[in-house]
PDB file of all heavy atoms in Angstrom:
ATOM      1  N   ILE A 758      15.373   7.360  -7.093  1.00 97.00           N
ATOM      2  CA  ILE A 758      14.011   7.219  -6.725  1.00 97.00           C
ATOM      3  C   ILE A 758      13.433   5.922  -7.372  1.00 97.00           C
ATOM      4  O   ILE A 758      12.723   5.072  -6.704  1.00 97.00           O
ATOM      5  CB  ILE A 758      13.093   8.429  -7.059  1.00 97.00           C
ATOM      6  CG1 ILE A 758      13.509   9.600  -6.059  1.00 97.00           C
ATOM      7  CG2 ILE A 758      11.661   8.064  -6.874  1.00 97.00           C
ATOM      8  CD1 ILE A 758      12.805  10.818  -6.449  1.00 97.00           C
ATOM      9  N   ARG A 759      13.620   5.854  -8.606  1.00 97.00           N
ATOM     10  CA  ARG A 759      13.083   4.650  -9.440  1.00 97.00           C
ATOM     11  C   ARG A 759      13.712   3.363  -9.028  1.00 97.00           C
ATOM     12  O   ARG A 759      13.022   2.451  -9.206  1.00 97.00           O
ATOM     13  CB  ARG A 759      13.147   5.091 -10.921  1.00 97.00           C
ATOM     14  CG  ARG A 759      12.243   6.236 -11.335  1.00 97.00           C
ATOM     15  CD  ARG A 759      12.382   6.471 -12.902  1.00 97.00           C
ATOM     16  NE  ARG A 759      11.815   5.362 -13.630  1.00 97.00           N
ATOM     17  CZ  ARG A 759      10.568   5.226 -13.988  1.00 97.00           C
ATOM     18  NH1 ARG A 759       9.574   5.937 -13.461  1.00 97.00           N
ATOM     19  NH2 ARG A 759      10.065   4.095 -14.620  1.00 97.00           N
ATOM     20  N   ILE A 760      14.999   3.294  -8.778  1.00 97.00           N
ATOM     21  CA  ILE A 760      15.676   2.201  -8.362  1.00 97.00           C
ATOM     22  C   ILE A 760      15.123   1.682  -6.960  1.00 97.00           C
ATOM     23  O   ILE A 760      14.957   0.448  -6.755  1.00 97.00           O
ATOM     24  CB  ILE A 760      17.130   2.351  -8.257  1.00 97.00           C
ATOM     25  CG1 ILE A 760      17.702   2.560  -9.686  1.00 97.00           C
ATOM     26  CG2 ILE A 760      17.833   1.193  -7.492  1.00 97.00           C
ATOM     27  CD1 ILE A 760      17.680   1.322 -10.565  1.00 97.00           C
ATOM     28  N   ARG A 761      14.847   2.712  -6.085  1.00 96.00           N
ATOM     29  CA  ARG A 761      14.188   2.328  -4.720  1.00 96.00           C
ATOM     30  C   ARG A 761      12.892   1.709  -4.952  1.00 96.00           C
ATOM     31  O   ARG A 761      12.531   0.737  -4.369  1.00 96.00           O
ATOM     32  CB  ARG A 761      14.057   3.554  -3.925  1.00 96.00           C
ATOM     33  CG  ARG A 761      15.432   4.026  -3.291  1.00 96.00           C
ATOM     34  CD  ARG A 761      15.219   5.191  -2.369  1.00 96.00           C
ATOM     35  NE  ARG A 761      16.552   5.617  -1.858  1.00 96.00           N
ATOM     36  CZ  ARG A 761      17.020   6.846  -2.271  1.00 96.00           C
ATOM     37  NH1 ARG A 761      16.438   7.619  -3.103  1.00 96.00           N
ATOM     38  NH2 ARG A 761      18.321   7.254  -1.894  1.00 96.00           N
ATOM     39  N   MET A 762      12.107   2.154  -6.032  1.00 96.00           N
ATOM     40  CA  MET A 762      10.808   1.593  -6.277  1.00 96.00           C
ATOM     41  C   MET A 762      11.071   0.105  -6.708  1.00 96.00           C
ATOM     42  O   MET A 762      10.169  -0.707  -6.463  1.00 96.00           O
ATOM     43  CB  MET A 762      10.155   2.354  -7.277  1.00 96.00           C
ATOM     44  CG  MET A 762       9.619   3.789  -6.697  1.00 96.00           C
ATOM     45  SD  MET A 762       9.259   5.025  -7.968  1.00 96.00           S
ATOM     46  CE  MET A 762       7.849   4.310  -8.810  1.00 96.00           C
ATOM     47  N   CYS A 763      12.007   0.054  -7.531  1.00 96.00           N
ATOM     48  CA  CYS A 763      12.217  -1.309  -8.214  1.00 96.00           C
ATOM     49  C   CYS A 763      12.601  -2.333  -6.976  1.00 96.00           C
ATOM     50  O   CYS A 763      12.108  -3.480  -7.014  1.00 96.00           O
ATOM     51  CB  CYS A 763      13.339  -1.369  -9.179  1.00 96.00           C
ATOM     52  SG  CYS A 763      12.990  -0.413 -10.676  1.00 96.00           S
ATOM     53  N   ILE A 764      13.528  -1.871  -6.161  1.00 96.00           N
ATOM     54  CA  ILE A 764      13.929  -2.780  -4.949  1.00 96.00           C
ATOM     55  C   ILE A 764      12.724  -3.166  -4.147  1.00 96.00           C
ATOM     56  O   ILE A 764      12.445  -4.153  -3.678  1.00 96.00           O
ATOM     57  CB  ILE A 764      14.934  -1.979  -4.224  1.00 96.00           C
ATOM     58  CG1 ILE A 764      16.283  -1.860  -4.957  1.00 96.00           C
ATOM     59  CG2 ILE A 764      15.238  -2.801  -2.822  1.00 96.00           C
ATOM     60  CD1 ILE A 764      17.286  -1.061  -4.346  1.00 96.00           C
ATOM     61  N   TRP A 765      11.792  -2.021  -3.916  1.00 95.00           N
ATOM     62  CA  TRP A 765      10.569  -2.237  -3.115  1.00 95.00           C
ATOM     63  C   TRP A 765       9.674  -3.313  -3.698  1.00 95.00           C
ATOM     64  O   TRP A 765       9.209  -4.097  -2.909  1.00 95.00           O
ATOM     65  CB  TRP A 765       9.868  -0.903  -2.830  1.00 95.00           C
ATOM     66  CG  TRP A 765       8.911  -0.804  -1.793  1.00 95.00           C
ATOM     67  CD1 TRP A 765       7.604  -0.488  -1.909  1.00 95.00           C
ATOM     68  CD2 TRP A 765       9.113  -1.047  -0.372  1.00 95.00           C
ATOM     69  NE1 TRP A 765       6.899  -0.572  -0.670  1.00 95.00           N
ATOM     70  CE2 TRP A 765       7.937  -0.857   0.292  1.00 95.00           C
ATOM     71  CE3 TRP A 765      10.291  -1.294   0.423  1.00 95.00           C
ATOM     72  CZ2 TRP A 765       7.775  -0.903   1.694  1.00 95.00           C
ATOM     73  CZ3 TRP A 765      10.086  -1.370   1.623  1.00 95.00           C
ATOM     74  CH2 TRP A 765       8.849  -1.208   2.389  1.00 95.00           C
ATOM     75  N   LYS A 766       9.516  -3.189  -4.992  1.00 95.00           N
ATOM     76  CA  LYS A 766       8.588  -4.292  -5.640  1.00 95.00           C
ATOM     77  C   LYS A 766       9.374  -5.566  -5.518  1.00 95.00           C
ATOM     78  O   LYS A 766       8.627  -6.611  -5.293  1.00 95.00           O
ATOM     79  CB  LYS A 766       8.417  -3.843  -7.081  1.00 95.00           C
ATOM     80  CG  LYS A 766       7.442  -4.816  -7.751  1.00 95.00           C
ATOM     81  CD  LYS A 766       7.179  -4.600  -9.120  1.00 95.00           C
ATOM     82  CE  LYS A 766       6.220  -5.528  -9.699  1.00 95.00           C
ATOM     83  NZ  LYS A 766       5.916  -5.247 -11.059  1.00 95.00           N
ATOM     84  N   ALA A 767      10.667  -5.622  -5.734  1.00 95.00           N
ATOM     85  CA  ALA A 767      11.276  -6.984  -5.786  1.00 95.00           C
ATOM     86  C   ALA A 767      11.270  -7.781  -4.398  1.00 95.00           C
ATOM     87  O   ALA A 767      11.113  -9.020  -4.326  1.00 95.00           O
ATOM     88  CB  ALA A 767      12.781  -6.801  -6.122  1.00 95.00           C
ATOM     89  N   TRP A 768      11.161  -6.951  -3.345  1.00 94.00           N
ATOM     90  CA  TRP A 768      10.971  -7.616  -2.077  1.00 94.00           C
ATOM     91  C   TRP A 768       9.640  -8.235  -1.713  1.00 94.00           C
ATOM     92  O   TRP A 768       9.377  -9.130  -0.972  1.00 94.00           O
ATOM     93  CB  TRP A 768      11.287  -6.500  -0.888  1.00 94.00           C
ATOM     94  CG  TRP A 768      12.757  -6.200  -0.820  1.00 94.00           C
ATOM     95  CD1 TRP A 768      13.869  -6.976  -1.268  1.00 94.00           C
ATOM     96  CD2 TRP A 768      13.343  -5.083  -0.135  1.00 94.00           C
ATOM     97  NE1 TRP A 768      15.017  -6.311  -0.975  1.00 94.00           N
ATOM     98  CE2 TRP A 768      14.818  -5.136  -0.250  1.00 94.00           C
ATOM     99  CE3 TRP A 768      12.916  -3.945   0.581  1.00 94.00           C
ATOM    100  CZ2 TRP A 768      15.620  -4.177   0.291  1.00 94.00           C
ATOM    101  CZ3 TRP A 768      13.743  -3.001   1.239  1.00 94.00           C
ATOM    102  CH2 TRP A 768      15.068  -3.110   0.861  1.00 94.00           C
ATOM    103  N   LYS A 769       8.732  -7.688  -2.383  1.00 91.00           N
ATOM    104  CA  LYS A 769       7.211  -8.231  -2.520  1.00 91.00           C
ATOM    105  C   LYS A 769       6.472  -8.233  -1.292  1.00 91.00           C
ATOM    106  O   LYS A 769       5.542  -7.597  -1.060  1.00 91.00           O
ATOM    107  CB  LYS A 769       7.388  -9.605  -3.170  1.00 91.00           C
ATOM    108  CG  LYS A 769       7.700  -9.631  -4.665  1.00 91.00           C
ATOM    109  CD  LYS A 769       7.760 -11.023  -5.146  1.00 91.00           C
ATOM    110  CE  LYS A 769       8.150 -10.973  -6.665  1.00 91.00           C
ATOM    111  NZ  LYS A 769       8.226 -12.358  -7.250  1.00 91.00           N
ATOM    112  N   THR A 770       6.936  -9.215  -0.367  1.00 95.00           N
ATOM    113  CA  THR A 770       6.076  -9.369   0.892  1.00 95.00           C
ATOM    114  C   THR A 770       6.452  -8.443   2.018  1.00 95.00           C
ATOM    115  O   THR A 770       7.514  -7.980   2.095  1.00 95.00           O
ATOM    116  CB  THR A 770       6.228 -10.853   1.323  1.00 95.00           C
ATOM    117  OG1 THR A 770       7.508 -11.138   1.759  1.00 95.00           O
ATOM    118  CG2 THR A 770       5.906 -11.784   0.162  1.00 95.00           C
ATOM    119  N   ILE A 771       5.556  -8.397   2.994  1.00 95.00           N
ATOM    120  CA  ILE A 771       5.945  -7.519   4.093  1.00 95.00           C
ATOM    121  C   ILE A 771       6.995  -8.016   4.902  1.00 95.00           C
ATOM    122  O   ILE A 771       7.896  -7.259   5.410  1.00 95.00           O
ATOM    123  CB  ILE A 771       4.542  -7.417   5.046  1.00 95.00           C
ATOM    124  CG1 ILE A 771       3.565  -6.623   4.266  1.00 95.00           C
ATOM    125  CG2 ILE A 771       4.892  -6.666   6.354  1.00 95.00           C
ATOM    126  CD1 ILE A 771       2.114  -6.658   4.896  1.00 95.00           C
ATOM    127  N   THR A 772       6.988  -9.396   5.031  1.00 95.00           N
ATOM    128  CA  THR A 772       8.120  -9.955   5.783  1.00 95.00           C
ATOM    129  C   THR A 772       9.396  -9.814   5.211  1.00 95.00           C
ATOM    130  O   THR A 772      10.460  -9.508   5.874  1.00 95.00           O
ATOM    131  CB  THR A 772       7.714 -11.535   5.895  1.00 95.00           C
ATOM    132  OG1 THR A 772       6.515 -11.818   6.602  1.00 95.00           O
ATOM    133  CG2 THR A 772       8.952 -12.279   6.691  1.00 95.00           C
ATOM    134  N   LYS A 773       9.564  -9.944   3.934  1.00 96.00           N
ATOM    135  CA  LYS A 773      10.823  -9.704   3.115  1.00 96.00           C
ATOM    136  C   LYS A 773      11.286  -8.341   3.275  1.00 96.00           C
ATOM    137  O   LYS A 773      12.488  -7.945   3.523  1.00 96.00           O
ATOM    138  CB  LYS A 773      10.579 -10.093   1.694  1.00 96.00           C
ATOM    139  CG  LYS A 773      11.796  -9.719   0.840  1.00 96.00           C
ATOM    140  CD  LYS A 773      12.995 -10.599   1.061  1.00 96.00           C
ATOM    141  CE  LYS A 773      14.091 -10.349   0.021  1.00 96.00           C
ATOM    142  NZ  LYS A 773      15.312 -11.149   0.381  1.00 96.00           N
ATOM    143  N   ARG A 774      10.179  -7.398   3.039  1.00 95.00           N
ATOM    144  CA  ARG A 774      10.673  -5.931   3.200  1.00 95.00           C
ATOM    145  C   ARG A 774      11.099  -5.618   4.668  1.00 95.00           C
ATOM    146  O   ARG A 774      12.067  -4.940   4.911  1.00 95.00           O
ATOM    147  CB  ARG A 774       9.472  -5.190   2.964  1.00 95.00           C
ATOM    148  CG  ARG A 774       9.075  -5.144   1.426  1.00 95.00           C
ATOM    149  CD  ARG A 774       7.711  -4.405   1.172  1.00 95.00           C
ATOM    150  NE  ARG A 774       7.465  -4.391  -0.350  1.00 95.00           N
ATOM    151  CZ  ARG A 774       6.445  -4.023  -0.880  1.00 95.00           C
ATOM    152  NH1 ARG A 774       5.360  -3.625  -0.122  1.00 95.00           N
ATOM    153  NH2 ARG A 774       6.149  -3.903  -2.202  1.00 95.00           N
ATOM    154  N   TYR A 775      10.470  -6.303   5.648  1.00 95.00           N
ATOM    155  CA  TYR A 775      10.723  -5.968   7.130  1.00 95.00           C
ATOM    156  C   TYR A 775      12.140  -6.483   7.355  1.00 95.00           C
ATOM    157  O   TYR A 775      12.964  -5.751   7.871  1.00 95.00           O
ATOM    158  CB  TYR A 775       9.876  -6.665   7.970  1.00 95.00           C
ATOM    159  CG  TYR A 775      10.144  -6.569   9.548  1.00 95.00           C
ATOM    160  CD1 TYR A 775       9.942  -5.428  10.066  1.00 95.00           C
ATOM    161  CD2 TYR A 775      10.630  -7.656  10.170  1.00 95.00           C
ATOM    162  CE1 TYR A 775      10.261  -5.247  11.462  1.00 95.00           C
ATOM    163  CE2 TYR A 775      11.059  -7.573  11.477  1.00 95.00           C
ATOM    164  CZ  TYR A 775      10.702  -6.230  12.238  1.00 95.00           C
ATOM    165  OH  TYR A 775      11.068  -6.274  13.517  1.00 95.00           O
ATOM    166  N   LYS A 776      12.529  -7.657   7.025  1.00 95.00           N
ATOM    167  CA  LYS A 776      13.833  -8.306   7.259  1.00 95.00           C
ATOM    168  C   LYS A 776      14.939  -7.540   6.520  1.00 95.00           C
ATOM    169  O   LYS A 776      15.958  -7.212   7.052  1.00 95.00           O
ATOM    170  CB  LYS A 776      13.792  -9.739   6.845  1.00 95.00           C
ATOM    171  CG  LYS A 776      12.933 -10.665   7.733  1.00 95.00           C
ATOM    172  CD  LYS A 776      13.086 -12.055   7.389  1.00 95.00           C
ATOM    173  CE  LYS A 776      12.256 -13.060   8.192  1.00 95.00           C
ATOM    174  NZ  LYS A 776      12.283 -14.490   7.780  1.00 95.00           N
ATOM    175  N   SER A 777      14.698  -7.171   5.266  1.00 94.00           N
ATOM    176  CA  SER A 777      15.641  -6.376   4.430  1.00 94.00           C
ATOM    177  C   SER A 777      15.893  -5.019   5.159  1.00 94.00           C
ATOM    178  O   SER A 777      17.113  -4.556   5.108  1.00 94.00           O
ATOM    179  CB  SER A 777      15.173  -6.284   3.030  1.00 94.00           C
ATOM    180  OG  SER A 777      14.919  -7.502   2.548  1.00 94.00           O
ATOM    181  N   LEU A 778      14.931  -4.343   5.512  1.00 94.00           N
ATOM    182  CA  LEU A 778      15.072  -2.987   6.117  1.00 94.00           C
ATOM    183  C   LEU A 778      15.724  -3.161   7.513  1.00 94.00           C
ATOM    184  O   LEU A 778      16.519  -2.179   7.916  1.00 94.00           O
ATOM    185  CB  LEU A 778      13.651  -2.348   6.313  1.00 94.00           C
ATOM    186  CG  LEU A 778      12.959  -1.886   5.012  1.00 94.00           C
ATOM    187  CD1 LEU A 778      11.607  -1.410   5.281  1.00 94.00           C
ATOM    188  CD2 LEU A 778      13.833  -0.835   4.306  1.00 94.00           C
ATOM    189  N   ILE A 779      15.449  -4.115   8.240  1.00 95.00           N
ATOM    190  CA  ILE A 779      16.165  -4.342   9.479  1.00 95.00           C
ATOM    191  C   ILE A 779      17.617  -4.484   9.297  1.00 95.00           C
ATOM    192  O   ILE A 779      18.497  -3.877   9.998  1.00 95.00           O
ATOM    193  CB  ILE A 779      15.567  -5.630  10.277  1.00 95.00           C
ATOM    194  CG1 ILE A 779      14.231  -5.381  10.811  1.00 95.00           C
ATOM    195  CG2 ILE A 779      16.499  -6.110  11.417  1.00 95.00           C
ATOM    196  CD1 ILE A 779      14.282  -4.403  11.974  1.00 95.00           C
ATOM    197  N   LYS A 780      18.044  -5.256   8.281  1.00 93.00           N
ATOM    198  CA  LYS A 780      19.458  -5.441   8.001  1.00 93.00           C
ATOM    199  C   LYS A 780      20.059  -4.185   7.549  1.00 93.00           C
ATOM    200  O   LYS A 780      21.178  -3.877   8.013  1.00 93.00           O
ATOM    201  CB  LYS A 780      19.633  -6.508   6.847  1.00 93.00           C
ATOM    202  CG  LYS A 780      19.399  -7.970   7.161  1.00 93.00           C
ATOM    203  CD  LYS A 780      19.513  -8.794   5.955  1.00 93.00           C
ATOM    204  CE  LYS A 780      19.212 -10.257   6.238  1.00 93.00           C
ATOM    205  NZ  LYS A 780      19.462 -11.159   5.085  1.00 93.00           N
ATOM    206  N   LEU A 781      19.503  -3.281   6.793  1.00 93.00           N
ATOM    207  CA  LEU A 781      19.920  -2.086   6.301  1.00 93.00           C
ATOM    208  C   LEU A 781      20.133  -1.005   7.580  1.00 93.00           C
ATOM    209  O   LEU A 781      20.914  -0.433   7.762  1.00 93.00           O
ATOM    210  CB  LEU A 781      19.097  -1.415   5.333  1.00 93.00           C
ATOM    211  CG  LEU A 781      19.164  -2.069   3.858  1.00 93.00           C
ATOM    212  CD1 LEU A 781      18.057  -1.537   2.952  1.00 93.00           C
ATOM    213  CD2 LEU A 781      20.562  -1.639   3.324  1.00 93.00           C
ATOM    214  N   ARG A 782      19.019  -1.128   8.462  1.00 93.00           N
ATOM    215  CA  ARG A 782      19.069  -0.251   9.583  1.00 93.00           C
ATOM    216  C   ARG A 782      20.273  -0.512  10.451  1.00 93.00           C
ATOM    217  O   ARG A 782      20.917   0.386  10.951  1.00 93.00           O
ATOM    218  CB  ARG A 782      17.895  -0.390  10.437  1.00 93.00           C
ATOM    219  CG  ARG A 782      17.764   0.432  11.689  1.00 93.00           C
ATOM    220  CD  ARG A 782      16.752  -0.075  12.815  1.00 93.00           C
ATOM    221  NE  ARG A 782      17.178  -1.523  13.315  1.00 93.00           N
ATOM    222  CZ  ARG A 782      16.488  -2.137  14.173  1.00 93.00           C
ATOM    223  NH1 ARG A 782      15.343  -1.666  14.619  1.00 93.00           N
ATOM    224  NH2 ARG A 782      16.913  -3.320  14.557  1.00 93.00           N
ATOM    225  N   ASN A 783      20.465  -1.895  10.809  1.00 93.00           N
ATOM    226  CA  ASN A 783      21.629  -2.168  11.554  1.00 93.00           C
ATOM    227  C   ASN A 783      23.001  -2.004  10.909  1.00 93.00           C
ATOM    228  O   ASN A 783      23.942  -1.570  11.603  1.00 93.00           O
ATOM    229  CB  ASN A 783      21.557  -3.790  11.858  1.00 93.00           C
ATOM    230  CG  ASN A 783      20.333  -4.219  12.737  1.00 93.00           C
ATOM    231  OD1 ASN A 783      19.714  -3.151  13.365  1.00 93.00           O
ATOM    232  ND2 ASN A 783      19.906  -5.446  12.680  1.00 93.00           N
ATOM    233  N   LEU A 784      23.067  -2.134   9.584  1.00 90.00           N
ATOM    234  CA  LEU A 784      24.285  -1.978   8.859  1.00 90.00           C
ATOM    235  C   LEU A 784      24.710  -0.389   8.893  1.00 90.00           C
ATOM    236  O   LEU A 784      25.848  -0.084   9.016  1.00 90.00           O
ATOM    237  CB  LEU A 784      24.206  -2.405   7.459  1.00 90.00           C
ATOM    238  CG  LEU A 784      25.386  -2.213   6.527  1.00 90.00           C
ATOM    239  CD1 LEU A 784      26.547  -3.077   7.016  1.00 90.00           C
ATOM    240  CD2 LEU A 784      24.987  -2.602   5.086  1.00 90.00           C
ATOM    241  N   LEU A 785      23.632   0.399   8.731  1.00 89.00           N
ATOM    242  CA  LEU A 785      23.862   1.880   8.560  1.00 89.00           C
ATOM    243  C   LEU A 785      23.727   2.570   9.837  1.00 89.00           C
ATOM    244  O   LEU A 785      23.967   3.807   9.927  1.00 89.00           O
ATOM    245  CB  LEU A 785      22.894   2.447   7.462  1.00 89.00           C
ATOM    246  CG  LEU A 785      23.062   1.797   6.146  1.00 89.00           C
ATOM    247  CD1 LEU A 785      21.834   2.279   5.340  1.00 89.00           C
ATOM    248  CD2 LEU A 785      24.254   2.312   5.509  1.00 89.00           C
ATOM    249  N   ASN A 786      23.274   1.893  10.932  1.00 90.00           N
ATOM    250  CA  ASN A 786      23.104   2.368  12.342  1.00 90.00           C
ATOM    251  C   ASN A 786      22.118   3.613  12.200  1.00 90.00           C
ATOM    252  O   ASN A 786      22.337   4.634  12.809  1.00 90.00           O
ATOM    253  CB  ASN A 786      24.521   2.914  12.786  1.00 90.00           C
ATOM    254  CG  ASN A 786      24.354   3.250  14.331  1.00 90.00           C
ATOM    255  OD1 ASN A 786      23.606   2.604  14.941  1.00 90.00           O
ATOM    256  ND2 ASN A 786      25.236   4.052  14.870  1.00 90.00           N
ATOM    257  N   VAL A 787      20.997   3.406  11.588  1.00 90.00           N
ATOM    258  CA  VAL A 787      19.986   4.269  11.417  1.00 90.00           C
ATOM    259  C   VAL A 787      19.052   4.185  12.691  1.00 90.00           C
ATOM    260  O   VAL A 787      18.794   3.119  13.186  1.00 90.00           O
ATOM    261  CB  VAL A 787      19.118   3.972  10.101  1.00 90.00           C
ATOM    262  CG1 VAL A 787      17.807   5.046  10.172  1.00 90.00           C
ATOM    263  CG2 VAL A 787      19.930   4.096   8.934  1.00 90.00           C
ATOM    264  N   LYS A 788      18.697   5.431  13.323  1.00 90.00           N
ATOM    265  CA  LYS A 788      17.847   5.522  14.503  1.00 90.00           C
ATOM    266  C   LYS A 788      16.398   5.148  14.241  1.00 90.00           C
ATOM    267  O   LYS A 788      15.564   6.254  14.204  1.00 90.00           O
ATOM    268  CB  LYS A 788      18.121   6.803  15.160  1.00 90.00           C
ATOM    269  CG  LYS A 788      19.541   6.924  15.691  1.00 90.00           C
ATOM    270  CD  LYS A 788      19.697   8.299  16.382  1.00 90.00           C
ATOM    271  CE  LYS A 788      21.173   8.514  16.973  1.00 90.00           C
ATOM    272  NZ  LYS A 788      21.478   9.618  17.629  1.00 90.00           N
ATOM    273  N   LYS A 789      16.157   3.987  13.985  1.00 91.00           N
ATOM    274  CA  LYS A 789      14.641   3.624  13.794  1.00 91.00           C
ATOM    275  C   LYS A 789      14.391   2.299  14.581  1.00 91.00           C
ATOM    276  O   LYS A 789      15.197   1.450  14.503  1.00 91.00           O
ATOM    277  CB  LYS A 789      14.371   3.383  12.349  1.00 91.00           C
ATOM    278  CG  LYS A 789      14.291   4.683  11.549  1.00 91.00           C
ATOM    279  CD  LYS A 789      13.809   4.480  10.057  1.00 91.00           C
ATOM    280  CE  LYS A 789      13.732   5.729   9.236  1.00 91.00           C
ATOM    281  NZ  LYS A 789      12.629   6.676   9.687  1.00 91.00           N
TER     282      LYS A 789
END
């Protein structure tokens, strides 16, 4: 949980968070 919080803070901006989550979604084939 705390590592996820650190990652979330490191991404900082909405754009960075969005792009990073998109990559993870595609990599993991998450239905979002």
Side-chain angles (χ1 to χ4, degrees):
I758 290 170
R759 294 183 64 84
I760 290 296
R761 289 187 183 104
M762 291 164 65
C763 292
I764 293 171
W765 196 239
K766 183 179 181 182
W768 286 345
K769 291 183 180 180
T770 66
I771 295 173
T772 301
K773 174 69 173 176
R774 289 171 176 175
Y775 177 73
K776 290 180 178 179
S777 299
L778 291 175
I779 288 288
K780 286 181 181 178
L781 286 170
R782 181 202 64 182
N783 296 339
L784 179 66
L785 300 169
N786 198 28
V787 176
K788 294 181 179 179
K789 287 187 182 295

